[in-house]
Amino acid sequence: MMNDDGIMRTIIELPEEQVKALAELCESQNISRAEAVRRALTKMLANQKIADRDSVFGAWKSKKMDSRKFVDALRKEWH
């Protein structure tokens, strides 16, 4: 559920070894647990965007059709 600031609160369960590692990280970087989780989530989502982009990079390599000709053919349909 979102609050008035557009911020969502959530509860997560972590195994003890992750809790200890998180506590050490937070202490060493002088940040809160919430900030550490936000940073981790931001990094994970950015990595996913890169993975999504990389999964389609070079998609035309195995095609028999020239991509430029394909785009030109599509544009001709608009007229």
Side-chain angles (χ1 to χ4, degrees), residues 9 16 31 45 51 59 70:
R9 286 187 63 112
E16 188 174 338
I31 59 174
L45 293 173
F70 179 75

Side-chain angles (χ1 to χ4, degrees), residues 19-79:
V19 173
K20 287 179 182 178
L22 180 60
E24 290 173 8
L25 175 78
C26 292
E27 186 175 336
S28 71
Q29 295 189 10
N30 196 30
I31 59 174
S32 67
R33 287 185 194 175
E35 179 60 22
V37 171
R38 282 191 292 270
R39 289 179 184 183
L41 183 57
T42 297
K43 190 171 186 176
M44 183 188 76
L45 293 173
N47 287 342
Q48 183 60 48
K49 286 180 183 178
I50 291 169
D52 290 347
R53 182 198 65 213
D54 289 347
S55 70
V56 297
F57 184 77
W60 279 90
K61 193 185 307 185
S62 63
K63 304 286 186 197
K64 302 292 183 202
M65 183 184 299
D66 178 82
S67 61
R68 181 78 247 160
K69 289 179 183 176
F70 179 75
V71 170
D72 289 342
L74 287 176
R75 288 182 176 161
K76 284 180 184 179
E77 293 177 0
W78 299 342
H79 297 291

